[in-house]
Amino acid sequence: MTHRRCVHDASISASGEGFRLRSRPRARTIICAVAHAHGHSVEDYLEAIYFLVSPIGEYQPAEGSPANAARVAEMLGVSRAAVGEMLKRLGSDGLLKRDGGRQLVFTDEGRERAEQVVRNHRIIERFLTDFLGYSAAGAHEHADALGDAFTPDMIERMNERLGFPDHCPHGWPISTEQERAENAGLQALSDLGAGDHCEIKRLVEHDGDLLHWYYDEGLVPGASLEVLDVQPAAGLVKVALGDGAAAVEHVVAEKAARGLIVRVSAA
């Protein structure tokens, strides 16, 4: 899925220097340029809506916010008018319906197709990291551009060559059925309180710059965290990354904390 790219304030340094995000030049490739020129496909919209309606999705707006046209426009970085036209098309194609209000709901066919798009994306990411040597963050960007380039048979051949992996590089299960089964035990770091211990299980992917920041800071699947302090008024969470004397303190902004999907563990 091709996403809006913009700079985000992801963290505040413990020394009080203010918000910081490491800027990085992005190598432009022919693949990315071509994909962006064509705009957003039906598959892009299906993937965006999938994550908006998921209980533990990549994109978590304010609590209680429904999956509606405005949220899709925000996630994809396009106008509401453009979203409106595509939603009409998805409805006409029998992939989407309304719940009586503005909230978006998949039909059975629409959910099945969206889940296939998501699964393909995760397999392509693993192929790029495991076989072609791309970084985890870089693989996400290229998988966005390549999603429509492979036939179903190619995807299944990739999956077989990979040895049928369980998860994508960012911790999301390849199988959407397994994803739903795991959701019950997961929550966002932003939901935890001081003294909680947890393990990072998944990273949000919808924001490429934020995804790079997670990897730069070592906030990756499998990492252990202890919540040291929570400051709701300032939107900050102070954590210790790692165990014992080797633990490193981080102060994470609420937006970044919402994108760290964790499982609470014993102290």
Side-chain angles (χ1 to χ4, degrees):
M1 179 169 58
T2 304
H3 304 289
R4 174 183 50 172
R5 302 300 307 280
C6 54
V7 175
H8 295 280
D9 298 327
S11 174
I12 290 184
S13 65
S15 61
E17 296 175 354
F19 285 93
R20 62 184 175 85
L21 177 67
R22 296 177 185 175
S23 61
R24 64 175 67 248
R26 293 285 193 269
R28 296 188 177 276
T29 68
I30 294 176
I31 289 175
C32 289
V34 170
H36 283 240
H38 287 299
H40 295 289
S41 66
V42 169
E43 285 71 21
D44 292 335
Y45 277 86
L46 291 174
E47 187 176 5
I49 297 168
Y50 173 85
F51 288 119
L52 286 169
V53 301
S54 299
I56 301 291
E58 292 186 357
Y59 183 73
Q60 297 185 356
E63 185 176 355
S65 297
N68 57 28
R71 296 297 178 192
V72 176
E74 182 181 356
M75 187 172 184
L76 293 178
V78 298
S79 70
R80 294 191 186 185
V83 171
E85 289 301 314
M86 179 59 79
L87 295 183
K88 289 179 182 178
R89 175 180 174 183
L90 295 178
S92 298
D93 291 345
L95 304 177
L96 201 64
K97 59 185 178 181
R98 300 297 180 107
D99 66 345
R102 296 184 176 181
Q103 190 162 353
L104 305 175
V105 180
F106 279 125
T107 63
D108 291 342
E109 181 183 356
R111 176 168 292 280
E112 181 178 351
R113 184 166 170 184
E115 289 178 348
Q116 189 63 51
V117 171
V118 170
R119 176 180 178 272
N120 290 352
H121 179 95
R122 294 169 180 173
I123 292 172
I124 293 170
E125 285 183 323
R126 281 298 300 262
F127 185 80
L128 290 172
T129 56
D130 293 17
F131 277 88
L132 301 185
Y134 282 91
S135 68
H140 173 73
E141 298 175 11
H142 289 293
D144 277 343
L146 292 168
D148 300 335
F150 298 107
T151 66
D153 179 67
M154 290 176 180
I155 295 294
E156 295 312 314
R157 286 172 181 259
M158 282 185 195
N159 198 29
E160 182 178 358
R161 288 294 301 272
L162 287 165
F164 304 101
D166 292 327
H167 294 80
C168 82
H170 320 299
W172 296 86
I174 300 295
S175 164
T176 53
E177 182 177 351
Q178 182 183 348
E179 176 186 338
R180 289 191 293 272
E182 291 183 3
N183 282 345
L186 303 178
Q187 57 192 118
L189 176 64
S190 56
D191 295 332
L192 273 55
D196 285 338
H197 291 72
C198 64
E199 178 185 345
I200 298 174
K201 303 300 293 184
R202 304 174 185 171
L203 306 177
V204 298
E205 297 181 278
H206 72 275
D207 184 319
D209 287 316
L210 187 56
L211 185 62
H212 275 278
W213 181 82
Y214 288 141
Y215 284 102
D216 287 345
E217 299 299 318
L219 298 168
V220 298
S224 299
L225 298 176
E226 178 185 359
V227 180
L228 302 177
D229 188 29
V230 178
Q231 301 178 29
L236 303 176
V237 180
K238 185 177 182 181
V239 300
L241 171 63
D243 300 309
V248 178
E249 291 187 2
H250 288 264
V251 181
V252 182
E254 182 181 4
K255 176 178 179 177
R258 288 200 308 269
L260 291 169
I261 309 303
V262 304
R263 174 177 287 126
V264 174
S265 56

